Amino acid sequence: LKQGQSKAAPAIARCLFATQTAATPASQNVVIVDGVRLPFAMASTIYEDEMAVDLQRLAFKGLMDKTAMDRNDIDYVISGTVIQEVKTSNIAREAAINAGLPNSIGGHTVSMACISSSAAICAAADKIRAGHASAVIAGGVETFSDVPIRLTRPMRQKLITLPKAMKRGGAMGAVKHMMGLRLKDAMGLETPAIANYTTGEVMGVSSDRLSAKFGVSRDDQDSFTVRSHTTAAQAHADGFYNGEVVPYKGSIEENGIKGDSTFESVQKLKPAFVKPHGTHTAANSSFLTDGASASLV
């Protein structure tokens, strides 16, 4: 779902190329038959009332409608996602069932940061290579409009053990049990961070450092940004995405595309991650995106 995701294409190509080996029967060569996606939208806009499973369901259904594939011919479903909703931890399976696929079809979910959907495609190819499937739906979904926000760990621990305290001491036992919580623990919230758990480093910082390492200048990034937005806007105007983008409520408009972007306007923004001398800004970095895709492998 991100501007730089095209860099994953060589990895996908290597994955699929690897299927065509001497040990693989010709009938088991893996191909991507077709694919669709929902309109990509800025977070907390058109999809703010949808769960991630709903977006993946719409993408799956759009793919089945487009390909006219018999639902009973699908052997397996794989989805890639990052921020997982607890209620739909295996989002591939939940979305498939709600899209009308038979509940006898298995499915699992993978997570590998921004290439999660690419990892899903590679996993689908591996399943076909191994002879465990002939037709697999591989998809990807993300929503930043409905992320799981948790209570603090001390508060969670208190609430988990609260029923026992009430059983022993009733209402007064519950009150005593909850006493001792610090205000920040009782009132605080934990929101998902776009950061590596081990290092604490956010993706923008990592990418900014890599740009410096490989000599990708601020001008290079801003020029590419303007090109991306203007060509995407032109592609929509020319109808290039018709048939690829599944309409949402009758529209395939993507509100993150800024067709009027200019090099001069983009250059005005200050570094967003590595300050004050970084090269990544709010303009040349990917915005937080909601959307979903699906492909038939």
Side-chain angles (χ1 to χ4, degrees):
L1 301 182
K2 298 187 182 300
Q3 189 179 62
Q5 221 174 8
S6 60
K7 295 178 181 178
I12 299 173
R14 287 195 297 273
C15 165
L16 297 181
F17 180 76
T19 67
Q20 300 181 18
T21 64
T24 305
S27 61
Q28 293 299 313
N29 286 347
V30 181
V31 297
I32 297 177
V33 179
D34 210 338
V36 300
R37 63 183 177 86
L38 297 185
F40 292 162
M42 299 177 72
S44 300
T45 57
I46 66 172
Y47 299 126
E48 62 181 353
D49 294 325
E50 303 282 6
M51 293 176 63
V53 68
D54 296 321
L55 301 186
Q56 187 68 94
R57 170 182 58 82
L58 291 172
F60 284 171
K61 189 175 185 305
L63 178 70
M64 297 303 295
D65 291 343
K66 181 182 180 183
T67 60
M69 185 83 171
D70 189 323
R71 285 163 167 72
N72 294 305
D73 289 335
I74 301 297
D75 299 313
Y76 205 76
V77 179
I78 307 174
S79 287
T81 192
V82 180
I83 302 177
Q84 297 190 7
E85 164 63 54
V86 176
K87 291 188 292 186
T88 57
S89 55
N90 187 4
I91 199 169
R93 171 98 169 135
E94 303 293 349
I97 293 174
N98 283 278
L101 291 168
N103 60 15
S104 58
I105 297 174
H108 73 267
T109 301
V110 297
S111 184
M112 198 175 180
C114 292
I115 61 169
S116 296
S117 57
S118 300
I121 291 175
C122 289
D126 286 342
K127 207 159 190 59
I128 294 172
R129 284 183 65 201
H132 295 159
S134 295
V136 180
I137 291 180
V141 61
E142 206 69 59
T143 175
F144 287 91
S145 298
D146 184 28
V147 298
I149 299 175
R150 305 198 303 177
L151 300 171
T152 63
R153 180 181 289 274
M155 186 65 172
R156 297 198 305 270
Q157 291 172 334
K158 287 287 188 180
L159 290 175
I160 289 171
T161 54
L162 180 60
K164 291 183 179 179
M166 291 184 67
K167 187 175 181 180
R168 291 194 302 265
M172 286 304 298
V175 172
K176 291 179 180 179
H177 178 74
M178 298 302 292
M179 289 177 63
L181 273 175
R182 293 179 299 178
L183 183 61
K184 69 174 186 178
D185 292 330
M187 303 297 292
L189 296 172
E190 295 178 0
T191 57
I194 308 176
N196 181 273
Y197 172 79
T198 303
T199 66
E201 185 171 272
V202 300
M203 189 179 300
V205 172
S206 298
S207 181
D208 208 322
R209 290 195 296 103
L210 285 172
S211 296
K213 179 178 179 179
F214 291 104
V216 183
S217 69
R218 167 72 185 269
D219 285 356
D220 291 336
Q221 295 171 59
D222 286 351
S223 295
F224 188 81
T225 295
V226 174
R227 177 183 178 274
S228 295
H229 282 283
T230 54
T231 54
Q234 189 61 51
H236 269 286
D238 294 342
F240 180 82
Y241 292 124
N242 294 345
E244 174 185 324
V245 179
V246 177
Y248 177 74
K249 295 184 177 179
S251 174
I252 64 170
E253 179 185 356
E254 300 184 286
N255 60 22
I257 298 174
K258 311 299 182 185
D260 57 351
S261 297
T262 65
F263 183 78
E264 292 73 23
S265 63
V266 171
Q267 285 264 293
K268 294 178 181 178
L269 277 76
K270 296 180 179 180
F273 302 102
V274 179
K275 302 174 182 179
H277 303 301
T279 57
H280 282 18
T281 69
N284 63 29
S285 301
S286 301
F287 51 85
L288 297 181
T289 310
D290 297 345
S293 62
S295 58
L296 177 62
V297 185

